[in-house]
Amino acid sequence: MPMLDFWFDFASTYSYPAALRIAPLAATAGVAVRFRPFLLGPIFKAQGWDTSPFNLYPTKGRYMWRDLERLCGGLDLPFRPPEPFPQPSLLAARVALVGLAEHWGEEFCRTVFRAEFGEGARIDDRATMARLLAPFGVDPAAVLAGAQSEPTKARLREETQAAQAHGIFGAPSFVTADGELFWGNDRLEHALAWATRGG
Amino acid sequence: MPMLDFWFDFASTYSYPAALRIAPLAATAGVAVRFRPFLLGPIFKAQGWDTSPFNLYPTKGRYMWRDLERLCGGLDLPFRPPEPFPQPSLLAARVALVGLAEHWGEEFCRTVFRAEFGEGARIDDRATMARLLAPFGVDPAAVLAGAQSEPTKARLREETQAAQAHGIFGAPSFVTADGELFWGNDRLEHALAWATRGG
């Protein structure tokens, strides 16, 4: 089965529709997807940015929020931006890594994105994480301890370095088995098509 | 008939596929398109950039060239980037304004884009402009004189200001009659759909 890596940051606005769209589209295309959370922060810092480019360039930021609102409307996805933006995504990414190693990670990622951009929830505290973990029948305290453990912290750093090594500079990004990089929610279909034709 | 304004800069890479795609798609959708060349330079300068962001951020630039190559492959469009990039687009934009006032402008715009990104031609000199004008049965010397005239220069400045007033920060951009802004070649279909549903 062809593979596609789905690289995203929970702080990334366009990662929200991508995360909610990818599973059914990949199933139809016959592509196996790996969810790979990483942190854009260090990559943005290497470009000289200390926050989201949508904050650094307000005209672009205003456009993005309107564009995302339209997109979510067309996809029938709830839309309510979190404050502040961007949300610190470190904790959610670590929790997701724990879940992805235990098979409940993908649905947890969708749950986080829905809470953050559909309900405007803050995702940077343990209480929210515990609330979002509740439906999964796992022990939130144990999961959070695992998320804050050294191996998980190291793994997220390694994933971020791997993203950078693939030439990733934004999120969402998709990388095929033959190393083709596609950037942006609007490239998801292209990435799946590339993967199925032997990537 | 619904209207859609197609804002582009001849220096803009993704404006190439957009310019080549828009006429047939708009015809099918029943949308009237206005070609509106403008200059990104002053808009980029206002954001603190002195060249294309694809040059300022090399990782993003490398991705863009590969992405454009793939896109052109899928559209069966020839692809050969010009050097240097970006091409100074002032002269071509002024000539296009003359042509758009005289009904040969749209096809001339497509001709410029094909030469620039399909053949790697420089578009910043009068000789190239004269060569590209030849098939149109116009007098190149007269057209170039009109392009360098004060009214044309003023018109291009006004168009660039109008683009900025619409919140445009990149190219290609599409603006519907009700003021909805869509940015990027990959938003062309969305913009046409918005226009037809009463925009």
Side-chain angles (χ1 to χ4, degrees):
Chain A
M1 203 171 184
M3 290 279 305
L4 188 66
D5 279 348
F6 168 40
W7 291 90
F8 60 93
D9 183 323
F10 285 111
S12 148
T13 53
Y14 287 107
S15 293
Y16 168 43
L20 276 284
R21 294 197 312 123
I22 196 167
L25 290 174
T28 308
V31 173
V33 170
R34 281 196 299 187
F35 275 49
R36 302 191 68 171
F38 73 108
L39 296 182
L40 270 173
I43 292 174
F44 281 176
K45 251 190 206 115
Q47 294 180 163
W49 301 337
D50 59 357
T51 180
S52 163
F54 296 128
N55 290 344
L56 294 171
Y57 305 105
T59 310
K60 196 167 183 172
R62 270 191 298 278
Y63 169 78
M64 178 278 293
W65 289 116
R66 174 61 180 147
D67 187 48
L68 192 64
E69 183 180 31
R70 284 187 312 228
L71 268 177
C72 290
L75 295 166
D76 223 8
L77 287 178
F79 174 67
R80 187 176 156 194
E83 282 183 28
F85 171 81
Q87 284 286 300
S89 55
L90 180 69
L91 179 63
R94 287 174 176 168
V95 174
L97 285 181
V98 173
L100 289 162
E102 291 179 8
H103 308 297
W104 49 268
E106 281 197 28
E107 186 56 22
F108 176 75
C109 291
R110 286 186 283 265
T111 300
V112 172
F113 276 118
R114 271 194 222 99
E116 183 185 9
F117 293 109
E119 301 162 21
R122 295 190 61 138
I123 58 159
D124 58 347
D125 64 86
R126 296 167 58 92
T128 306
M129 286 299 108
R131 173 171 75 82
L132 299 181
L133 285 166
F136 290 90
V138 293
D139 174 9
V143 170
L144 285 164
Q148 311 273 42
S149 70
E150 277 313 314
T152 305
K153 291 179 179 179
R155 177 134 174 74
L156 184 57
R157 280 194 298 271
E158 287 158 14
E159 285 292 274
T160 298
Q161 284 160 8
Q164 213 158 3
H166 280 301
I168 287 174
F169 55 88
S173 289
F174 311 96
V175 180
T176 62
D178 63 345
E180 282 289 324
L181 170 63
F182 296 82
W183 171 53
N185 170 59
D186 42 42
R187 288 297 189 283
L188 170 53
E189 285 83 349
H190 298 203
L192 288 168
W194 192 280
T196 54
R197 75 177 209 208
Chain B
M1 204 172 184
M3 290 278 305
L4 188 67
D5 279 348
F6 167 40
W7 292 91
F8 60 93
D9 183 322
F10 284 111
S12 147
T13 51
Y14 287 107
S15 293
Y16 169 43
L20 277 284
R21 294 196 313 124
I22 196 166
L25 290 174
T28 307
V31 173
V33 170
R34 282 195 299 187
F35 275 49
R36 302 190 68 171
F38 73 109
L39 296 182
L40 270 174
I43 292 174
F44 282 175
K45 254 195 201 109
Q47 294 180 166
W49 300 339
D50 60 357
T51 180
S52 163
F54 296 127
N55 290 345
L56 292 171
Y57 304 106
T59 310
K60 196 167 182 171
R62 269 190 299 277
Y63 169 77
M64 179 277 293
W65 289 116
R66 175 60 180 149
D67 187 49
L68 192 64
E69 183 181 31
R70 285 187 311 229
L71 268 176
C72 291
L75 296 165
D76 224 5
L77 288 177
F79 175 68
R80 186 175 156 195
E83 282 183 29
F85 171 81
Q87 283 287 300
S89 53
L90 180 69
L91 179 63
R94 288 173 176 168
V95 173
L97 285 180
V98 173
L100 288 163
E102 291 180 9
H103 310 295
W104 49 268
E106 281 197 29
E107 186 55 24
F108 176 75
C109 290
R110 286 185 284 264
T111 300
V112 171
F113 276 118
R114 270 194 224 99
E116 183 185 10
F117 293 109
E119 302 162 20
R122 295 191 62 138
I123 58 159
D124 58 346
D125 66 85
R126 296 167 57 93
T128 306
M129 286 298 109
R131 173 171 75 83
L132 300 182
L133 285 166
F136 290 91
V138 294
D139 174 8
V143 169
L144 285 165
Q148 311 274 41
S149 71
E150 277 313 316
T152 304
K153 291 180 179 178
R155 178 135 173 72
L156 183 57
R157 279 194 299 271
E158 288 157 15
E159 286 291 274
T160 297
Q161 285 159 9
Q164 213 157 3
H166 280 301
I168 288 173
F169 54 88
S173 289
F174 311 96
V175 180
T176 61
D178 63 345
E180 283 288 324
L181 170 63
F182 295 82
W183 170 53
N185 170 59
D186 41 43
R187 289 296 189 283
L188 171 53
E189 284 84 350
H190 298 201
L192 287 168
W194 192 279
T196 54
R197 74 179 210 206

